Amino acid sequence: MPEGGVRVVGHGARFRRSRRSELLIWWREIDRMLLGLILFLVVIGAIAVAAASPASARRLSTSTKSLGDLYFFWIHLRWVMVGLIAMFFASVLPKEAARRGAIILAGAMILALVLVPLLGSEVKGAKRWLWIGFSLQPSEFLKPGFAIAIAWILSWRVRDPNIPVIGITIGIMVLVGMLLMAQPDFGSTVLFGGVWFVLALLSGLPITRVLWCMGLGVVGVIAAYLFYPNATNRIDSFISGGSEFDQVDLAMRTLLNGGWSGTGLWLGSRKNSLPEAHTDYIFSVIGEEFGLVACGVVVVVYCVIALRVLIRLLDEEDLFTILAAAGLTAQLVGQAFINILVNLQLFPSKGMTLPLISYGGSSTIALLAGVGLLLAITRRNPYLSREKFDLSEFTRK
């Protein structure tokens, strides 16, 4: 020790101590229960992709290229690792930084959507991806940015009730919907519209406008049925109950094949007939190999995630925080239940993955980054008491 008993601390030591303190603060403020639920779904997803990978790998193998049974599983693990890193870095951001970053992300992805019909690569009749050294699906990364950007605009009403925030957000929603339908991507358009509707309701949308919006939604679905052949085929198939070889019917048969306890890992047989076993219909693979009980667990976890966020927001005082967290949760849980309902033959086929469980590149990274933003926005000092935000009082203003 130096003379006088004073310890000299170098810059490196102070930096390490500062970083350690920041991580301790992050761990104290983060919603650890929500984080645990998300990681639990990620683990379930890895197991489910391992179960579905052999069916998809064999189906996509050709005479010139044979894919290993765990081909999609190993790739999925790489994307999950990248996604978890993105989730961590997003979750340590201060709320204002998370908001600004999400708004910039939304703007960049809207610009990317403009480029998709011009420069995008076509897969199965749709242009949804841009090649930038790797395949990027802008609509997936737009989801968290869209929810936060719309929440931010709607929260302007607190500062000035005369700002036409509903009209501004309707304009953004129409623009996003037009760009998505240019690909075309009807399923994502429906999901974005649902997120906007939830946020508009929470911000105090008058009941007359609620009815108008519902009417416009019905008109949009009818227009898609009349002018979008893919939507026409899927809705007709749903209404008629499908055929023995219809994708949704195959998914339902696969889901029920395992009974309550399932056939066991890699012992399912019906999954081999599914065209997208590792993505759109992975819930059916879970049902076949791990049973209806496992499917019930997945549904319960999504419900608990939504409930946990709502509980977290009960004593929140900031309108932006309430709207942003609600929008991100609606996007995550809404997509999950659309996928599940499709697998149960209760909704027309949408080509939509099961969040945090299905195999994916852009979707996995974007979803985990969105979860990171949700964790950042809902961070809270446990030692500070807050005055509750009275939403009913606000909507009466």
Side-chain angles (χ1 to χ4, degrees):
M1 180 177 293
E3 185 179 353
V6 178
R7 176 176 297 176
V8 178
V9 180
H11 175 73
R14 287 197 300 270
F15 178 78
R16 287 192 297 272
R17 183 181 301 174
S18 173
R19 295 307 255 174
R20 191 181 306 115
S21 299
E22 290 178 5
L23 287 175
L24 288 174
I25 292 171
W26 170 82
W27 182 247
R28 186 179 66 219
E29 294 182 345
I30 205 82
D31 188 342
R32 293 189 291 273
M33 180 178 176
L34 179 59
L35 176 61
L37 291 167
I38 295 300
L39 294 178
F40 181 61
L41 279 182
V42 171
V43 172
I44 291 177
I47 297 171
V49 171
S53 182
S56 295
R58 294 166 191 167
R59 189 180 185 89
L60 297 175
S61 292
T62 64
S63 57
T64 58
K65 184 177 181 181
S66 178
L67 303 179
D69 280 353
L70 294 180
Y71 173 81
F72 292 105
F73 171 70
W74 295 120
I75 297 178
H76 179 71
L77 287 186
R78 293 180 217 163
W79 291 123
V80 166
M81 292 304 299
V82 175
L84 289 175
I85 293 171
M87 181 185 76
F88 171 75
F89 280 105
S91 68
V92 300
L93 292 173
K95 185 186 299 185
E96 290 302 310
R99 176 180 61 78
R100 286 192 292 267
I103 292 170
I104 293 172
L105 177 66
M109 290 303 106
I110 289 176
L111 178 60
L113 283 178
V114 174
L115 299 176
V116 166
L118 303 174
L119 306 175
S121 55
E122 184 171 332
V123 178
K124 296 181 180 179
K127 285 188 177 181
R128 299 176 186 174
W129 295 266
L130 285 175
W131 179 256
I132 53 173
F134 60 91
S135 184
L136 172 73
Q137 189 173 358
S139 61
E140 292 296 330
F141 287 93
L142 178 59
K143 288 175 182 177
F146 175 85
I148 292 177
I150 296 296
W152 176 58
I153 294 171
L154 291 173
S155 69
W156 294 350
R157 286 187 61 191
V158 174
R159 295 196 302 265
D160 186 354
N162 295 319
I163 299 177
V165 293
I166 296 296
I168 294 171
T169 58
I170 287 176
I172 295 173
M173 181 61 238
V174 170
L175 173 62
V176 170
M178 291 173 61
L179 292 173
L180 289 172
M181 288 306 297
Q183 298 181 1
D185 189 352
F186 182 60
S188 291
T189 305
V190 171
L191 182 61
F192 277 91
V195 171
W196 174 87
F197 187 66
V198 168
L199 292 179
L201 282 178
L202 289 176
S203 67
L205 186 67
I207 188 63
T208 53
R209 293 191 182 183
V210 171
L211 296 176
W212 271 106
C213 291
M214 293 174 66
L216 288 174
V218 172
V219 171
V221 172
I222 294 173
Y225 177 78
L226 294 175
F227 303 109
Y228 177 35
N230 195 23
T232 304
N233 295 334
R234 292 185 177 188
I235 293 174
D236 284 344
S237 178
F238 174 73
I239 294 174
S240 65
S243 65
E244 185 179 355
F245 303 103
D246 183 74
Q247 290 184 16
V248 178
D249 186 70
L250 289 172
M252 185 65 169
R253 291 171 182 270
T254 302
L255 190 149
L256 297 176
N257 191 50
W260 289 105
S261 57
T263 60
L265 181 62
W266 296 317
L267 297 179
S269 57
R270 282 195 174 272
K271 68 180 182 183
N272 296 313
S273 62
L274 288 175
E276 302 289 347
H278 61 310
T279 54
D280 299 356
Y281 298 109
I282 198 166
F283 188 73
S284 293
V285 176
I286 294 173
E288 180 176 36
E289 301 211 344
F290 305 104
L292 296 176
V293 172
C295 290
V297 170
V298 171
V299 172
V300 168
V301 172
Y302 282 117
C303 291
V304 174
I305 287 174
L307 183 61
R308 177 60 186 177
V309 174
L310 291 176
I311 292 173
R312 187 82 170 180
L313 297 176
L314 283 177
D315 60 348
E316 182 55 59
E317 61 182 1
D318 178 48
L319 179 61
F320 166 73
T321 300
I322 293 173
L323 293 177
L328 290 168
T329 305
Q331 180 264 312
L332 175 71
V333 178
Q335 179 173 331
F337 279 96
I338 288 175
N339 177 279
I340 290 170
L341 291 175
V342 168
N343 279 263
L344 294 174
Q345 274 189 313
L346 298 176
F347 207 79
S349 178
K350 287 289 182 186
M352 196 171 287
T353 59
L354 187 59
L356 306 175
I357 292 181
S358 292
Y359 167 91
S362 293
S363 61
T364 297
I365 297 173
L367 282 163
L368 285 169
V371 169
L373 291 171
L374 176 60
L375 291 169
I377 288 170
T378 56
R379 280 174 59 182
R380 182 175 303 147
N381 189 329
Y383 302 110
L384 292 180
S385 60
R386 293 168 178 254
E387 181 182 351
K388 294 182 180 179
F389 180 84
D390 191 342
L391 185 62
S392 60
E393 181 181 347
F394 171 76
T395 56
R396 289 196 296 268
K397 292 182 179 180

